[in-house]
Amino acid sequence: QVQLVESGGGLVQPGGSLRLSCAASVNIFSLYVTAWYRQAPEKQRELVATLTSSGSTTYVDSVKGRFTISTDNTKNTVYLQMNSLRPEDTAVYYCNVRPKWDVGSDYWGQGTQVTVSS
């Protein structure tokens, strides 16, 4: 079982920045895909960003140019750098990973709240 612990959320003004962290209980090299999702109240859960083990990234259109997904393999941690934040970015953010040994399964962090407000 893969355990994921998220941190880094909080309250920030529009235009500000936050970096979310997701610490994994396994080596990052054992993961096929890492990703971040978000869910606002009464709205559908949305895929925000993905990063494959080969280095390919994808982003939802609304965050392109503002968010960056990355990993630190020595710390077994996935990051989401969030710049130029907007009120519509307000949501609970979840990290998600898929292991190489079982590509059909995935694992979730506990979620961290991001609130963008003036």
PDB file of all heavy atoms in Angstrom, residues 74-93:
ATOM      1  N   THR A  74      15.003  12.278  -4.223  1.00  0.00           N
ATOM      2  CA  THR A  74      15.732  12.004  -2.988  1.00  0.00           C
ATOM      3  C   THR A  74      14.838  12.109  -1.766  1.00  0.00           C
ATOM      4  O   THR A  74      15.141  11.522  -0.729  1.00  0.00           O
ATOM      5  CB  THR A  74      16.929  12.946  -2.832  1.00  0.00           C
ATOM      6  OG1 THR A  74      16.478  14.296  -2.679  1.00  0.00           O
ATOM      7  CG2 THR A  74      17.835  12.860  -4.042  1.00  0.00           C
ATOM      8  N   LYS A  75      13.741  12.860  -1.870  1.00  0.00           N
ATOM      9  CA  LYS A  75      12.812  13.042  -0.757  1.00  0.00           C
ATOM     10  C   LYS A  75      11.502  12.284  -0.947  1.00  0.00           C
ATOM     11  O   LYS A  75      10.625  12.360  -0.083  1.00  0.00           O
ATOM     12  CB  LYS A  75      12.505  14.525  -0.558  1.00  0.00           C
ATOM     13  CG  LYS A  75      13.715  15.366  -0.200  1.00  0.00           C
ATOM     14  CD  LYS A  75      13.332  16.824  -0.017  1.00  0.00           C
ATOM     15  CE  LYS A  75      14.537  17.664   0.367  1.00  0.00           C
ATOM     16  NZ  LYS A  75      14.175  19.097   0.534  1.00  0.00           N
ATOM     17  N   ASN A  76      11.355  11.562  -2.057  1.00  0.00           N
ATOM     18  CA  ASN A  76      10.117  10.835  -2.369  1.00  0.00           C
ATOM     19  C   ASN A  76       8.902  11.756  -2.269  1.00  0.00           C
ATOM     20  O   ASN A  76       7.876  11.395  -1.687  1.00  0.00           O
ATOM     21  CB  ASN A  76       9.943   9.624  -1.452  1.00  0.00           C
ATOM     22  CG  ASN A  76      10.992   8.557  -1.688  1.00  0.00           C
ATOM     23  OD1 ASN A  76      11.507   8.417  -2.791  1.00  0.00           O
ATOM     24  ND2 ASN A  76      11.312   7.805  -0.648  1.00  0.00           N
ATOM     25  N   THR A  77       9.011  12.933  -2.870  1.00  0.00           N
ATOM     26  CA  THR A  77       7.981  13.955  -2.737  1.00  0.00           C
ATOM     27  C   THR A  77       7.574  14.502  -4.100  1.00  0.00           C
ATOM     28  O   THR A  77       8.428  14.743  -4.955  1.00  0.00           O
ATOM     29  CB  THR A  77       8.462  15.102  -1.844  1.00  0.00           C
ATOM     30  OG1 THR A  77       8.753  14.592  -0.539  1.00  0.00           O
ATOM     31  CG2 THR A  77       7.404  16.185  -1.717  1.00  0.00           C
ATOM     32  N   VAL A  78       6.270  14.700  -4.268  1.00  0.00           N
ATOM     33  CA  VAL A  78       5.692  15.340  -5.449  1.00  0.00           C
ATOM     34  C   VAL A  78       5.269  16.752  -5.065  1.00  0.00           C
ATOM     35  O   VAL A  78       4.704  16.960  -3.985  1.00  0.00           O
ATOM     36  CB  VAL A  78       4.485  14.551  -5.977  1.00  0.00           C
ATOM     37  CG1 VAL A  78       3.976  15.164  -7.279  1.00  0.00           C
ATOM     38  CG2 VAL A  78       4.839  13.085  -6.182  1.00  0.00           C
ATOM     39  N   TYR A  79       5.515  17.723  -5.938  1.00  0.00           N
ATOM     40  CA  TYR A  79       5.193  19.118  -5.669  1.00  0.00           C
ATOM     41  C   TYR A  79       4.231  19.669  -6.714  1.00  0.00           C
ATOM     42  O   TYR A  79       4.201  19.223  -7.860  1.00  0.00           O
ATOM     43  CB  TYR A  79       6.449  19.992  -5.682  1.00  0.00           C
ATOM     44  CG  TYR A  79       7.484  19.608  -4.669  1.00  0.00           C
ATOM     45  CD1 TYR A  79       8.616  18.887  -5.042  1.00  0.00           C
ATOM     46  CD2 TYR A  79       7.353  19.976  -3.338  1.00  0.00           C
ATOM     47  CE1 TYR A  79       9.585  18.537  -4.112  1.00  0.00           C
ATOM     48  CE2 TYR A  79       8.313  19.636  -2.404  1.00  0.00           C
ATOM     49  CZ  TYR A  79       9.425  18.917  -2.792  1.00  0.00           C
ATOM     50  OH  TYR A  79      10.380  18.575  -1.867  1.00  0.00           O
ATOM     51  N   LEU A  80       3.460  20.664  -6.299  1.00  0.00           N
ATOM     52  CA  LEU A  80       2.695  21.492  -7.223  1.00  0.00           C
ATOM     53  C   LEU A  80       2.976  22.949  -6.876  1.00  0.00           C
ATOM     54  O   LEU A  80       2.502  23.442  -5.854  1.00  0.00           O
ATOM     55  CB  LEU A  80       1.195  21.203  -7.142  1.00  0.00           C
ATOM     56  CG  LEU A  80       0.339  21.960  -8.160  1.00  0.00           C
ATOM     57  CD1 LEU A  80       0.646  21.488  -9.582  1.00  0.00           C
ATOM     58  CD2 LEU A  80      -1.148  21.809  -7.854  1.00  0.00           C
ATOM     59  N   GLN A  81       3.778  23.611  -7.707  1.00  0.00           N
ATOM     60  CA  GLN A  81       4.046  25.029  -7.545  1.00  0.00           C
ATOM     61  C   GLN A  81       2.920  25.811  -8.195  1.00  0.00           C
ATOM     62  O   GLN A  81       2.640  25.626  -9.381  1.00  0.00           O
ATOM     63  CB  GLN A  81       5.388  25.403  -8.181  1.00  0.00           C
ATOM     64  CG  GLN A  81       5.732  26.886  -8.084  1.00  0.00           C
ATOM     65  CD  GLN A  81       5.964  27.335  -6.665  1.00  0.00           C
ATOM     66  OE1 GLN A  81       6.685  26.679  -5.916  1.00  0.00           O
ATOM     67  NE2 GLN A  81       5.341  28.448  -6.278  1.00  0.00           N
ATOM     68  N   MET A  82       2.278  26.689  -7.433  1.00  0.00           N
ATOM     69  CA  MET A  82       1.095  27.417  -7.873  1.00  0.00           C
ATOM     70  C   MET A  82       1.397  28.908  -7.811  1.00  0.00           C
ATOM     71  O   MET A  82       1.554  29.465  -6.725  1.00  0.00           O
ATOM     72  CB  MET A  82      -0.109  27.073  -6.992  1.00  0.00           C
ATOM     73  CG  MET A  82      -0.333  25.575  -6.834  1.00  0.00           C
ATOM     74  SD  MET A  82      -1.462  25.170  -5.466  1.00  0.00           S
ATOM     75  CE  MET A  82      -2.981  25.875  -6.084  1.00  0.00           C
ATOM     76  N   ASN A  83       1.473  29.555  -8.968  1.00  0.00           N
ATOM     77  CA  ASN A  83       1.749  30.982  -9.060  1.00  0.00           C
ATOM     78  C   ASN A  83       0.553  31.718  -9.651  1.00  0.00           C
ATOM     79  O   ASN A  83      -0.315  31.117 -10.274  1.00  0.00           O
ATOM     80  CB  ASN A  83       2.980  31.239  -9.929  1.00  0.00           C
ATOM     81  CG  ASN A  83       4.238  30.613  -9.383  1.00  0.00           C
ATOM     82  OD1 ASN A  83       4.433  30.533  -8.172  1.00  0.00           O
ATOM     83  ND2 ASN A  83       5.121  30.174 -10.279  1.00  0.00           N
ATOM     84  N   SER A  84       0.534  33.034  -9.458  1.00  0.00           N
ATOM     85  CA  SER A  84      -0.533  33.884 -10.000  1.00  0.00           C
ATOM     86  C   SER A  84      -1.906  33.329  -9.661  1.00  0.00           C
ATOM     87  O   SER A  84      -2.791  33.218 -10.517  1.00  0.00           O
ATOM     88  CB  SER A  84      -0.369  34.037 -11.517  1.00  0.00           C
ATOM     89  OG  SER A  84       0.890  34.590 -11.844  1.00  0.00           O
ATOM     90  N   LEU A  85      -2.105  33.002  -8.401  1.00  0.00           N
ATOM     91  CA  LEU A  85      -3.335  32.342  -7.979  1.00  0.00           C
ATOM     92  C   LEU A  85      -4.552  33.244  -8.140  1.00  0.00           C
ATOM     93  O   LEU A  85      -4.477  34.454  -7.939  1.00  0.00           O
ATOM     94  CB  LEU A  85      -3.213  31.870  -6.538  1.00  0.00           C
ATOM     95  CG  LEU A  85      -2.363  30.611  -6.368  1.00  0.00           C
ATOM     96  CD1 LEU A  85      -1.928  30.441  -4.924  1.00  0.00           C
ATOM     97  CD2 LEU A  85      -3.144  29.384  -6.833  1.00  0.00           C
ATOM     98  N   ARG A  86      -5.666  32.619  -8.488  1.00  0.00           N
ATOM     99  CA  ARG A  86      -6.938  33.290  -8.712  1.00  0.00           C
ATOM    100  C   ARG A  86      -7.993  32.735  -7.769  1.00  0.00           C
ATOM    101  O   ARG A  86      -7.881  31.599  -7.315  1.00  0.00           O
ATOM    102  CB  ARG A  86      -7.391  33.073 -10.163  1.00  0.00           C
ATOM    103  CG  ARG A  86      -6.380  33.493 -11.214  1.00  0.00           C
ATOM    104  CD  ARG A  86      -6.751  32.935 -12.571  1.00  0.00           C
ATOM    105  NE  ARG A  86      -5.798  33.315 -13.603  1.00  0.00           N
ATOM    106  CZ  ARG A  86      -5.799  32.826 -14.835  1.00  0.00           C
ATOM    107  NH1 ARG A  86      -6.723  31.943 -15.209  1.00  0.00           N
ATOM    108  NH2 ARG A  86      -4.878  33.231 -15.700  1.00  0.00           N
ATOM    109  N   PRO A  87      -9.052  33.515  -7.479  1.00  0.00           N
ATOM    110  CA  PRO A  87     -10.115  32.991  -6.605  1.00  0.00           C
ATOM    111  C   PRO A  87     -10.700  31.671  -7.089  1.00  0.00           C
ATOM    112  O   PRO A  87     -11.060  30.819  -6.260  1.00  0.00           O
ATOM    113  CB  PRO A  87     -11.154  34.111  -6.627  1.00  0.00           C
ATOM    114  CG  PRO A  87     -10.349  35.345  -6.847  1.00  0.00           C
ATOM    115  CD  PRO A  87      -9.253  34.930  -7.788  1.00  0.00           C
ATOM    116  N   GLU A  88     -10.797  31.465  -8.389  1.00  0.00           N
ATOM    117  CA  GLU A  88     -11.343  30.225  -8.915  1.00  0.00           C
ATOM    118  C   GLU A  88     -10.433  29.024  -8.700  1.00  0.00           C
ATOM    119  O   GLU A  88     -10.834  27.886  -8.965  1.00  0.00           O
ATOM    120  CB  GLU A  88     -11.687  30.362 -10.405  1.00  0.00           C
ATOM    121  CG  GLU A  88     -10.527  30.812 -11.275  1.00  0.00           C
ATOM    122  CD  GLU A  88     -10.540  32.304 -11.558  1.00  0.00           C
ATOM    123  OE1 GLU A  88     -10.863  33.087 -10.640  1.00  0.00           O
ATOM    124  OE2 GLU A  88     -10.235  32.698 -12.694  1.00  0.00           O
ATOM    125  N   ASP A  89      -9.199  29.242  -8.230  1.00  0.00           N
ATOM    126  CA  ASP A  89      -8.322  28.138  -7.853  1.00  0.00           C
ATOM    127  C   ASP A  89      -8.657  27.578  -6.474  1.00  0.00           C
ATOM    128  O   ASP A  89      -8.087  26.555  -6.072  1.00  0.00           O
ATOM    129  CB  ASP A  89      -6.859  28.581  -7.871  1.00  0.00           C
ATOM    130  CG  ASP A  89      -6.373  28.964  -9.258  1.00  0.00           C
ATOM    131  OD1 ASP A  89      -6.724  28.264 -10.232  1.00  0.00           O
ATOM    132  OD2 ASP A  89      -5.629  29.956  -9.364  1.00  0.00           O
ATOM    133  N   THR A  90      -9.544  28.234  -5.746  1.00  0.00           N
ATOM    134  CA  THR A  90      -9.923  27.782  -4.412  1.00  0.00           C
ATOM    135  C   THR A  90     -10.552  26.393  -4.475  1.00  0.00           C
ATOM    136  O   THR A  90     -11.526  26.177  -5.199  1.00  0.00           O
ATOM    137  CB  THR A  90     -10.900  28.769  -3.768  1.00  0.00           C
ATOM    138  OG1 THR A  90     -10.253  30.033  -3.587  1.00  0.00           O
ATOM    139  CG2 THR A  90     -11.382  28.255  -2.421  1.00  0.00           C
ATOM    140  N   ALA A  91      -9.992  25.453  -3.718  1.00  0.00           N
ATOM    141  CA  ALA A  91     -10.454  24.069  -3.738  1.00  0.00           C
ATOM    142  C   ALA A  91      -9.641  23.259  -2.734  1.00  0.00           C
ATOM    143  O   ALA A  91      -8.642  23.732  -2.194  1.00  0.00           O
ATOM    144  CB  ALA A  91     -10.307  23.463  -5.135  1.00  0.00           C
ATOM    145  N   VAL A  92     -10.075  22.025  -2.505  1.00  0.00           N
ATOM    146  CA  VAL A  92      -9.246  21.044  -1.827  1.00  0.00           C
ATOM    147  C   VAL A  92      -8.422  20.332  -2.895  1.00  0.00           C
ATOM    148  O   VAL A  92      -8.975  19.830  -3.877  1.00  0.00           O
ATOM    149  CB  VAL A  92     -10.079  20.032  -1.027  1.00  0.00           C
ATOM    150  CG1 VAL A  92      -9.175  18.984  -0.389  1.00  0.00           C
ATOM    151  CG2 VAL A  92     -10.900  20.748   0.039  1.00  0.00           C
ATOM    152  N   TYR A  93      -7.115  20.286  -2.699  1.00  0.00           N
ATOM    153  CA  TYR A  93      -6.206  19.678  -3.667  1.00  0.00           C
ATOM    154  C   TYR A  93      -5.744  18.317  -3.162  1.00  0.00           C
ATOM    155  O   TYR A  93      -5.383  18.163  -1.993  1.00  0.00           O
ATOM    156  CB  TYR A  93      -4.995  20.581  -3.906  1.00  0.00           C
ATOM    157  CG  TYR A  93      -5.309  21.771  -4.777  1.00  0.00           C
ATOM    158  CD1 TYR A  93      -6.089  22.814  -4.306  1.00  0.00           C
ATOM    159  CD2 TYR A  93      -4.832  21.843  -6.090  1.00  0.00           C
ATOM    160  CE1 TYR A  93      -6.402  23.903  -5.109  1.00  0.00           C
ATOM    161  CE2 TYR A  93      -5.133  22.925  -6.898  1.00  0.00           C
ATOM    162  CZ  TYR A  93      -5.914  23.950  -6.409  1.00  0.00           C
ATOM    163  OH  TYR A  93      -6.215  25.029  -7.215  1.00  0.00           O
TER     164      TYR A  93
END
